[in-house]
Amino acid sequence: MDPLVAAQKIAGSGLDVQSARLRVVSENIANSRSTGDTPGADPYRRKTVTFGSELDKSSGIDLVKVSKVGVDRSNFGQEYDPGSPAADSRGIVKMPNVNVLMEMADMREANRTYEANLQTIKQSRDLIAATIDLLKASQ
């Protein structure tokens, strides 16, 4: 397989996984204050994305894939809010294990990685076009 086409396929798989990562981060941020509906019920649990590589049999190159969307098993936070429907008998509400600052940092990293993969696709497309132009000019 042509190295420039392979680069496009690899970068394309990078776009796919970073899109999935951004979706999960967005979901985590959106649910950062989502508590349970009943006293003592568990709140939203932060989701995580695990990447892996997968051999593309048609091209023989390793592509990055989302291998698993899991959950963060760290402890829930607690807040005193006796008026909440999720408050226990002491007025304590279990809060999601989502740290919005960490999610924002993860979102920034995913965004930068997405942009880098996009730039790789653009550059390889430009190189392919330049090669075609050179071949046309030599005929």
Side-chain angles (χ1 to χ4, degrees), residues 48-59:
T48 61
V49 178
T50 304
F51 301 133
S53 65
E54 182 178 283
L55 180 66
D56 180 46
K57 293 177 184 173
S58 65
S59 62

Side-chain angles (χ1 to χ4, degrees), residues 17-87:
V17 297
Q18 294 308 324
S19 293
R21 182 178 177 193
L22 285 167
R23 183 190 55 77
V24 168
V25 167
S26 297
E27 186 176 324
N28 288 340
I29 291 171
N31 287 291
S32 66
R33 302 290 297 167
S34 297
T35 61
D37 294 333
T38 59
D42 284 346
Y44 175 82
R45 188 172 287 278
R46 178 179 179 264
K47 292 185 178 176
T48 61
V49 178
T50 304
F51 301 133
S53 65
E54 182 178 283
L55 180 66
D56 180 46
K57 293 177 184 173
S58 65
S59 62
I61 56 176
D62 282 324
L63 303 175
V64 64
K65 296 286 182 190
V66 172
S67 63
K68 182 174 105 173
V69 175
V71 291
D72 182 347
R73 294 286 175 193
S74 64
N75 294 330
F76 295 122
Q78 294 183 347
E79 285 185 11
Y80 180 73
D81 185 4
S84 170

